[in-house]
Amino acid sequence: YIIPYGLYRGHGFISANLAGDAKKGTGFSAEDLELLFDALINMFEFDRSAARMEMNAQRLIVFKHASPLGSAPSQHLFRRVKVEQRPDVKVARAYSDYIVEIDRDGLPDGVEIIERL
């Protein structure tokens, strides 16, 4: 069987509490975070294969917390991102066949949304 188009959604976490400086944590820095964002956005650009064909990142949505222990539960934030196939599309063949919305209303205090792409 061939799947002509697939839209994958992934969740990731960085623990600011564990990152910290080199003495208290891993030493993960703001520069490291930018490198990670760039890697996620470009992860398939230089590694084309028959298995991945034209896989690519379409959008990076990050919930940044003011508190090292988090300003809101992750599951509540992830629910704010809704992905639905457009009602007029019978079979999705492109990213544009989907509606991606972020509920920004009433965002918890200390949470900022960062978008890339």
Side-chain angles (χ1 to χ4, degrees):
Y1 295 99
I2 294 176
I3 299 171
Y5 188 81
L7 182 63
Y8 298 89
R9 176 178 172 160
H11 294 170
F13 304 86
I14 296 172
S15 173
N17 194 42
L18 296 176
D21 60 35
K23 291 181 182 178
K24 295 180 186 174
T26 64
F28 187 85
S29 68
E31 292 81 19
D32 295 327
L33 183 61
E34 287 301 318
L35 283 173
L36 177 62
F37 288 170
D38 287 342
L40 289 170
I41 291 167
N42 295 302
M43 68 181 149
F44 300 111
E45 288 302 311
F46 306 108
D47 185 25
R48 299 282 178 210
S49 72
R52 287 186 286 284
M53 298 293 288
E54 292 186 35
M55 282 183 81
N56 51 65
Q58 293 293 326
R59 198 164 173 188
L60 179 63
I61 302 167
V62 177
F63 293 97
K64 183 177 179 183
H65 299 254
S67 167
L69 295 176
S71 303
S74 60
Q75 69 271 19
H76 294 182
L77 298 175
F78 291 147
R79 275 189 232 130
R80 291 175 168 274
V81 179
K82 295 191 178 24
V83 180
E84 295 178 350
Q85 188 170 309
R86 292 187 181 281
D88 58 324
V89 173
K90 191 168 190 167
V91 179
R93 294 283 191 259
Y95 181 72
S96 59
D97 291 338
Y98 293 90
I99 300 167
V100 179
E101 294 179 335
I102 304 169
D103 178 7
R104 298 170 187 276
D105 293 336
L107 201 61
D109 290 338
V111 175
E112 171 188 355
I113 297 175
I114 300 170
E115 287 187 75
R116 299 288 169 89
L117 289 182

